[in-house]
Each structure stands twice: as structure tokens, then as C-alpha cells.
Amino acid sequence: MDLPEDAPDVRAADPAPLLTPLPEDPLPVDPAGPNRGELPVPGSEGGLSGSSPFDWSVWEWLGYGAMIVVALLLTAIAVTTLWWMLHAWRSRDSLQRTGFSRAPRPAAHSFSLLVPGRHEEEVMGQTLDRLAEQDHPDFEVIAIVGHDDPGTEAVARAAAARHPELIKVVVDSSVPKNKPKALNLALDTARGSVIGVFDAEDDVHPRLLSLVDSRFSETGADVVQGGVQLMNFHSSWWSLRNVLEYYFWFRSRLHFHANAKFIPLGGNTVFIKRVWLDWSEGWDAECLAEDCEVGVRLSSQGATVAVAYSPEVVTREETPGTLTSLFKQRTRWNQGFLQVLGKGEWRKLPSARQRLFARYILAMPFLQAATGLLIPLSIMLILFAKVPVVVALITFLPLGPTLVTLAVEAAGLNEFGRLYGRKVRVRDYVRLILGTFPYQVFLAAAAVRAVYRQLRGENSWEKTEHSGAHRTEAPVRPEERELVAAGASRPAQGRHAEGASS
């Protein structure tokens, strides 16, 4: 067909491109390569800048490296913590072996039970009464109170008057005061072959001493660590997590430590043969975690430790009343661990595996502090930095064991409610889930503060207040309230007052 004479000559024009044209200098393609005819994938050599580690700048290496280190560190901590949490549940027989014997042997030891208390008039009287109800044939209770604490002393004196053959009061005049000093003072007057330690707010089962005595005979142990359980998980979101910490620590993790022959002992419901305390010259008066310290020293000398947790006879306690109080308590424990780490007794453990394990446990405050400081940096990098895929995948590694741990904690909360007759509500599970990350940040902050105090040489004892929230009945008798209100002085209590220091 003929075109009009004025029609444009389209034969001379280049056709319009159907696809985006290639650059003038196309990327090289190896014609002999396995992917000949294909364009390079971005991120490979010659691809997008910065996607390959070989193309990272120094700052990218530092940023991405920090994220990887934190992720791997958190993963390692999460995995080991999960493993220890589940130690007691390896099998049904394993779980049954963690408890006391159901048919205890006849009594073979005598006991001295030490109960230090400072400004504990709200709870100490009932604790002393409960200890006096023990069905063991040979024991004594020694209450240690401060010379400047008339309220607690009045309550202790009243309890001694109610049980004159069992309870005596010792007055601590040391300055400054702390728990290990009080324990060492009472040790001088104790007559038992086994020394037991309790806190002023403890709710103790009347059969406990008989079962502990039997545990010594059954195992030939030098130390028996009984179970301690916080109870008031309904009080707050963080008390729920604190309760579960105790549940897994005493029901499972301490059994793992005992099998590994390295154990930081608990602060109460712990029973040590007198000969070992005489050898160790009591407790370290300068350590903020005297229970951990004596446990490490005894472990380093080959002492045998038996752990027992039976829900029906555990010593019941309460969580600290405020988040600030819990923060100070956790700081003190962490700083005590750092003191024990620096003291170096763990280096006397016989095997390299034990020493490595001890270093890891005692250095945990350092690890928590380091991760606590790096968490904000990691979050900023995730939000504002263009992270390579490999780095992003590595940062998600801690999520796996964390989710498994959360599921284990939920199962543990359900079991706790069933064992102790406490109703676990749906909102408790919600609080458990929502409180996971805030509680970890809280623990990291306490570890950072512990490291800061240790570096500054601040070793003051920060006391934890108690109110008896774990008890259903009134923690203080009316007559004790009158004594406390009147500011009673130290009355003579027969022969038991002779043990008091001036």
C-alpha cells in the first residue's frame, strides 16, 4: 500500500524499547561460567556496595559485629538457662529423686537454727513460733537482733518467753551490721552438730528438720539445701516472674549444681555440719552474698551437698514489696557474685570443667551488664541501619530458646498453681508473656548497677523489707504490737538472756 507523500518516514526511526534498556556499560558476564547469560545477583562481587562483608566499612563491621556478638551471647545464655531449668524433669524418676524421703529415718543429729532479723517486727515473731513447732527431738532456735532495733528485739523476746526451752536471743552490737556478722555471732553460742539458717519472714513446715536429718543420713552429705518458695505471685507483674525464678531455681537448677559439685547455696533453709563451719571460720562478713561464698568455698574443698525440694514442706517466703526493693536485692546478689569471682576460691575446684562452669556462673552479672549496655545499641542499629540479611537472621537466634523458655515458664506456672492450691488466671499468663522483655531489661539494669558499685568499692548492705504477704493469717500478735509501740527494752528471759551480748 502506498503512503501519502507527507507521512513521516518511520523506517529511518529507531523502534521504541519494549523493556528498560541495559546500561551503556553492561555488567560483565563470564560466557564460560555456570550462569552464563545471566546478570550478577546484587550483593555478589560487582553488585550492590556494602551487601558483602568484604564491602563493609569499619563502622559497619563494628555495628554488625556488636549485633552478632550480643545475639550469640544471648542465645548461649538462653540455651544454658533453659537446660538447667529442665534438669529435674528429665524423667519421672529424676523428678521424684529431687524430693525428701517419704519415710524418714530416725533422728541422728542436733540442730541450731539461726534467725537474723533487722527491723522485722512485722514477721519475726510468727517465724520463731513456727520454728518452735518442729517435731524434731533435738534443736534450738537462736534469734539475732541488733542493739539499735528495740522493735524486733521485743518481738524476739516475746517469742522466747513463749518457748523458753527452745528460743534464745542474741544481740548484735557490731557496726555496720549485716547478715554474715549476725550469723557468726550466733555461731559462737550454737550447740548443734548441724547449723541451719532461716530468714525472719520464713514460714517453715513443722516436719522439715526431721526430713533434713534423714537426708543427711541417707546421703552422707555435709550440706543439705532445702527448698524455698516465694508465694505471692498475684501481687504484681514482676512478683509473678520472681516466684517462677525461685520455683525453677530450687526445684531444678540447684540439683544440677549439686550434681556438678559446684553450688552457690541459698540464703536460708540451708543446713551445714558444724565441723565445716568451724573449718571455714563461719561466713565471710565482707561478702554481700555470704550464702554463695560459703557454698563455693565448701565446693572447692570437696564437701558433698544434697538438695531436696518437696512442695509440701518448702519454706515459704514473699517477694520484695516494691520494685525498688527487688532492684536493690538483685544488685546485692549480683555484686556478691562478683566478689566471690574476684576472691578466686573457685580456682581450687579439682577439674577444669568445674572451674569453667564456676567462672560462667559467677561472671553472669558481667554478662548481663554487658548485654544490658548493648541492648540499646542493637535496637538503634535494627531501627536505623540497613542490616544485611545474614546479620538480621543471626539477631533472631535468641528468639528460639526464648519462646521455648516462655512455654516452659507457662507450664511451670500451671504446675505451681496445682501444687500449691493457687488459682492461676488467664491474666496471669498474659502478665507472664508481656513481662518477659521488661523483666530481662530490669535484670540487666540491676547487673549494671552491681558492676558500677563494685568498681567504685561500694559494699554497703541494702536490706530487703518484708511484710508477710505470703501468709494468710496476721503476721504479728496483738501483744507484740503493744511491745513494739511501747519501744520495749530488753527484759531478762531467764537463762536464755545469758546468751545475749552487751
Side-chain angles (χ1 to χ4, degrees):
M1 180 180 64
D2 295 334
L3 296 175
E5 293 183 0
D6 58 349
D9 187 3
V10 296
R11 291 173 296 179
D14 294 331
L18 297 178
L19 299 174
T20 302
L22 294 174
E24 295 183 1
D25 297 324
L27 295 174
V29 178
D30 184 3
N35 298 321
R36 53 187 178 274
E38 298 180 8
L39 293 177
V41 178
S44 62
E45 186 176 356
L48 297 179
S49 175
S51 296
S52 169
F54 298 104
D55 297 327
W56 292 353
S57 67
V58 173
W59 291 109
E60 286 175 326
W61 269 104
L62 291 175
Y64 298 154
M67 295 175 66
I68 292 172
V69 169
V70 171
L72 294 179
L73 185 61
L74 292 176
T75 302
I77 294 174
V79 170
T80 54
T81 301
L82 178 62
W83 180 257
W84 296 332
M85 285 174 61
L86 294 174
H87 173 76
W89 286 273
R90 293 170 296 164
S91 66
R92 182 179 296 274
D93 291 340
S94 175
L95 186 62
Q96 290 177 348
R97 286 195 298 269
T98 62
F100 285 108
S101 173
R102 296 189 176 277
R105 297 183 182 183
H109 302 83
S110 59
F111 290 82
S112 291
L113 309 180
L114 312 187
V115 189
R118 182 160 180 78
H119 304 304
E120 300 283 13
E121 52 266 34
E122 290 293 323
V123 293
M124 191 164 185
Q126 192 174 7
T127 295
L128 296 176
D129 285 336
R130 291 288 285 173
L131 287 173
E133 296 172 358
Q134 291 295 307
D135 64 1
H136 194 275
D138 192 0
F139 73 97
E140 64 175 352
V141 180
I142 304 176
I144 313 104
V145 298
H147 74 287
D148 56 351
D149 185 8
T152 305
E153 183 180 353
V155 169
R157 296 286 185 188
R162 292 192 296 272
H163 310 281
E165 300 302 319
L166 296 175
I167 299 176
K168 63 182 178 182
V169 180
V170 173
V171 179
D172 177 16
S173 300
S174 65
V175 178
K177 291 177 171 54
N178 61 32
K179 182 178 178 180
K181 287 182 181 180
L183 295 176
N184 288 334
L185 178 63
L187 189 60
D188 293 336
T189 65
R191 61 171 179 79
S193 62
V194 174
I195 307 299
V197 179
F198 290 92
D199 287 341
E201 79 278 12
D202 287 348
D203 197 359
V204 186
H205 194 278
R207 294 188 62 227
L208 179 63
L209 284 191
S210 296
L211 295 172
V212 169
D213 194 330
S214 180
R215 193 72 164 185
F216 273 109
S217 299
E218 295 161 359
T219 62
D222 304 301
V223 181
V224 171
Q225 173 68 68
V228 181
Q229 184 58 62
L230 303 180
M231 299 302 298
N232 55 316
F233 73 97
H234 283 151
S235 298
S236 60
W237 70 268
W238 45 265
S239 65
L240 184 149
R241 289 211 145 268
N242 202 196
V243 166
L244 285 178
E245 278 184 317
Y246 268 65
Y247 183 68
F248 286 105
W249 177 265
F250 284 95
R251 189 160 176 79
S252 180
R253 183 164 170 173
L254 279 184
H255 296 274
F256 181 88
H257 282 276
N259 291 342
K261 300 188 183 303
F262 172 79
I263 180 169
L265 294 171
N268 73 82
T269 318
V270 60
F271 304 87
I272 306 174
K273 286 187 175 179
R274 176 66 182 262
V275 292
W276 280 98
L277 286 174
D278 289 340
W279 164 83
S280 69
E281 299 180 346
W283 291 265
D284 186 345
E286 303 303 320
C287 186
L288 295 176
E290 84 293 335
D291 45 1
C292 170
E293 193 277 337
V294 75
V296 171
R297 268 195 294 153
L298 296 183
S299 296
S300 68
Q301 296 298 318
T304 303
V305 180
V307 180
Y309 183 105
S310 293
E312 58 274 13
V313 297
V314 297
T315 297
R316 302 189 180 200
E317 288 189 348
E318 62 180 326
T319 62
T322 64
L323 194 59
T324 299
S325 182
L326 178 62
F327 186 71
K328 292 179 179 180
Q329 181 192 70
R330 194 53 60 97
T331 297
R332 174 166 55 83
W333 291 355
N334 286 337
Q335 190 175 356
F337 270 53
L338 296 180
Q339 290 175 328
V340 177
L341 177 66
K343 191 173 181 179
E345 289 288 336
W346 54 272
R347 293 189 177 93
K348 299 178 183 178
L349 291 165
S351 71
R353 183 175 182 178
Q354 286 175 299
R355 293 190 293 271
L356 180 62
F357 180 49
R359 187 192 296 267
Y360 176 64
I361 296 300
L362 297 176
M364 188 60 69
F366 279 123
L367 299 177
Q368 285 185 320
T371 55
L373 291 174
L374 290 175
I375 283 174
L377 175 61
S378 298
I379 293 176
M380 291 181 64
L381 288 173
I382 292 173
L383 293 177
F384 301 108
K386 185 178 180 181
V387 181
V389 175
V390 173
V391 177
L393 291 175
I394 293 176
T395 61
F396 278 97
L397 284 178
L399 184 61
T402 298
L403 292 177
V404 176
T405 300
L406 189 58
V408 171
E409 288 174 336
L413 179 59
N414 177 71
E415 184 175 86
F416 172 86
R418 177 175 55 81
L419 290 174
Y420 292 100
R422 304 298 174 97
K423 183 178 181 180
V424 181
R425 303 158 299 188
V426 173
R427 62 182 175 182
D428 294 320
Y429 291 106
V430 174
R431 288 194 301 175
L432 175 67
I433 296 172
L434 296 181
T436 299
F437 182 71
Y439 196 70
Q440 293 306 313
V441 174
F442 170 83
L443 295 180
V448 170
R449 181 169 180 259
V451 173
Y452 176 77
R453 279 172 53 90
Q454 184 67 10
L455 292 176
R456 288 177 55 89
E458 298 179 14
N459 298 321
S460 58
W461 190 281
E462 296 179 319
K463 183 186 176 300
T464 304
E465 296 80 16
H466 303 103
S467 63
H470 57 304
R471 289 170 169 160
T472 55
E473 56 266 53
V476 181
R477 295 167 178 263
E479 61 269 23
E480 291 173 350
R481 291 188 183 278
E482 294 177 3
L483 286 172
V484 173
S489 59
R490 298 197 293 270
Q493 298 293 338
R495 65 182 180 88
H496 296 283
E498 298 174 3
S501 61
S502 61

